[in-house]
Amino acid sequence: MDKVELSDPPSGLETEFNTLLTPGAIHFLTELSSAFNEDVDKILWHRTSRKVQLDLTNSYPDFALVNAHIRNDPSWKVSPVPRRLQNRHVDIGDTAPCKTERFHRALLSSAQGIQVDFDDGNCPTFFNQIKGIFNIYQVVHNKVSGIPPIFKVPVLMLRPRAWNMVEHNMMIHGREVPGPLFDYGLLMYHTGRTLYESESGPFFYLSKVESSLEAKLWNDIFVWTEKKLNLPIGSIKATVLIESVLASFEMEEILYELKEHSAGLNSGIWDYSASFVNKFGHRQEFLLPDRSKYVNMEKLFLKSYMDLLVQTCHRRGALATGGMAALLLPENQASQEYRNVIEAVKRSKLFEINAGVDGFMVYDIDLVAPMQKLFQAHTTGPNQLHVIPDVGVSQSDLLTMPAGGVTLYGLKYNIAVGIQFIDSWFKGEGHFFYRGKVEDSATAEISRSQVWQWIRHQVRLEEDNRIVTRSLVQILVKEAESELATELGLSDMEKRRLCVAAEIFLEIVLKRDFPEFITMYLNLDHTFLGGTM
């Protein structure tokens, strides 16, 4: 214990803190972190090295020749998934478990699974992490009145933080613990065996994986954990979210590294699109047009990515899942607006079903039933593993940006989303609602990425040919701040917080070099500033 420094319990969560951070759990986290600290450093260095190499050589990612033997070998498959993962039709996404009411409502739904989220839809304050993990602990151990046993509720797809995040409140050997190891370690220590014995897990979503090296690290962690907790090898299953353009060229290798532990791959739109700006945003040929008008899953670069993901997964016996519908249903079920939302979600999700996906996510719990009916109407059986798209996807298909320009509406929308996300972060919240949609770190990521890139390349607005410059964005940020304060009816204190959020948004989009992740920037450079406001 002399190797460990741990912050005091979050105010009001003393019981939860002491239930989770027992001597045994702290010892487990210490061993886990000590075993893999150097490996975590290496994959983050590898990310940096790879980006530098691409920039120095002005080259593009491609399917690596060194791994051709893996891609060309038809004999290998991933291990079959357990019974409860064979039907993945509809998961409820962005379910931050610290939000007890929504978490419990999701558990009582008819969904196949719940994305129990410590990443995109969650703000990782110490309060939220402890509260969220404790809520999962309570549910798994059947300690919540009115919630059925864990084997009778939707499966918990646990999503720890990504590798770029750290846990500020725990240091081991003088270093902050990697955020995903803190989340994963406590979850496995306290719930892993019970989930396994109830045939309900442990199942994970793995965020922001950029390479097969990172998949191998996760596989090593799973094997280490299974040995420590005396679980059979292959007990842990994980779905990897392909959220980086670099990972799209290594999907076969990612599945290969996780063969015994794979629950498949997941495709989404906004983190993946933002990764193009992250990796190549300074290059003119990767200028991404207005997402509100010109970017959707039917565009070549995104359609190719989804087709390749489905083809890769189904060839290898793995499940392929799609992204999250962010639209929110209005309260009045008799309204035209309600019918319009249902139809819009159906259209986008039928496109994914026809592409061969085995499931997807919705945020609004009331969308679960209609989307399950959509699956039943257009597919047979629990999944579409038999559907293998007959497509050939090239490097060019994956890297060609769609045509289109930039609108004033799109610029203003991106600014409003970016500011509100930072403001929500200061409130300890990882997502918010805006104009009939849920917005989270994925949409904040693409929003601030586009504003940064449009300034960088001095693009012109379609409406009036004005150039997107620093001064124009500064004016629009001030306008957005004023409009949001009025629209949301903010108090003086809330206006001050929104003002700080607007200033930090400007700070991010005006940087000479692109900040890699907005959440990492806020977590490291402005550590929960809202807590002191």
Side-chain angles (χ1 to χ4, degrees), residues 53 106 127-128 151 170 176 348 385 412 425 445 464 491:
Q53 190 61 31
F127 183 98
N128 287 350
F151 58 87
M170 188 176 199
E176 292 175 327
S348 67
L385 281 171
K412 292 173 75 170
W425 187 271
E445 203 66 84
D464 54 19
S491 67

Side-chain angles (χ1 to χ4, degrees), residues 388-431:
I388 302 177
D390 185 17
V391 294
V393 176
S394 68
Q395 177 196 41
S396 175
D397 293 334
L398 290 170
L399 296 179
T400 300
M401 294 291 91
V406 175
T407 67
L408 179 61
Y409 172 85
L411 177 57
K412 292 173 75 170
Y413 192 92
N414 281 341
I415 288 169
V417 169
I419 292 172
Q420 287 180 92
F421 176 76
I422 297 168
D423 184 57
S424 293
W425 187 271
F426 291 162
K427 292 186 285 187
E429 296 173 1
H431 61 274

Side-chain angles (χ1 to χ4, degrees), residues 33-45:
S33 182
S34 300
F36 294 103
N37 243 333
E38 288 187 12
D39 297 301
V40 174
D41 287 340
K42 285 176 183 176
I43 61 148
L44 294 175
W45 294 338

Side-chain angles (χ1 to χ4, degrees), residues 134-346:
F134 181 78
N135 279 347
I136 295 165
Y137 169 89
Q138 291 286 92
V139 166
V140 170
H141 293 286
N142 200 23
K143 294 176 180 287
V144 182
S145 175
I147 302 296
I150 194 66
F151 58 87
K152 291 186 176 181
V153 299
V155 293
L156 305 183
M157 299 298 298
L158 306 166
R159 176 156 78 156
R161 282 170 282 184
W163 286 123
N164 55 289
M165 301 296 280
V166 296
E167 178 50 62
H168 296 301
N169 295 282
M170 188 176 199
M171 298 184 78
I172 296 174
H173 297 297
R175 296 190 70 192
E176 292 175 327
V177 175
L181 292 187
F182 181 86
D183 303 339
Y184 166 85
L186 283 180
L187 288 166
M188 280 303 302
Y189 182 81
H190 286 293
T191 69
R193 176 158 293 281
T194 302
L195 287 168
Y196 174 73
E197 291 176 350
S198 62
E199 297 184 25
S200 300
F203 306 141
F204 290 90
Y205 271 119
L206 304 179
S207 295
K208 315 286 189 295
V209 171
E210 294 195 6
S211 70
S212 56
L213 288 177
E214 298 181 24
K216 182 181 184 305
L217 172 56
W218 271 115
N219 194 74
D220 292 345
I221 290 167
F222 293 158
V223 171
W224 182 93
T225 307
E226 287 162 341
K227 289 178 179 177
K228 280 287 178 185
L229 298 181
N230 294 313
L231 293 170
I233 300 298
S235 302
I236 299 168
K237 299 293 182 183
T239 297
V240 174
L241 292 99
I242 303 297
E243 298 172 297
S244 168
V245 56
L246 301 185
S248 68
F249 290 94
E250 296 189 42
M251 289 193 276
E252 297 248 23
E253 295 93 321
I254 287 168
L255 285 179
Y256 184 81
E257 293 296 349
L258 284 161
K259 280 201 302 286
E260 293 178 305
H261 296 103
S262 179
L265 304 177
N266 174 270
S267 62
I269 184 168
W270 297 130
D271 268 325
Y272 184 78
S273 297
S275 77
F276 283 79
V277 184
N278 186 324
K279 303 303 180 186
F280 312 113
H282 57 293
R283 303 192 201 184
Q284 183 73 37
E285 66 267 34
F286 287 100
L287 182 61
L288 191 65
D290 191 334
R291 72 182 179 102
S292 66
K293 187 175 180 180
Y294 297 109
V295 181
N296 57 58
M297 290 303 293
E298 297 180 33
K299 299 301 180 182
L300 177 64
F301 82 115
L302 291 172
K303 178 70 164 62
S304 300
Y305 148 67
M306 184 165 62
D307 284 343
L308 182 60
L309 185 143
V310 173
Q311 181 190 68
T312 300
C313 285
H314 289 180
R315 279 180 60 207
R316 303 302 182 179
L319 296 170
T321 51
M324 185 183 76
L327 285 171
L328 304 169
L329 287 167
E331 289 185 13
N332 183 2
Q333 296 187 20
S335 67
Q336 185 61 45
E337 185 186 1
Y338 186 95
R339 291 190 289 274
N340 290 345
V341 171
I342 289 282
E343 288 308 310
V345 177
K346 279 185 177 179

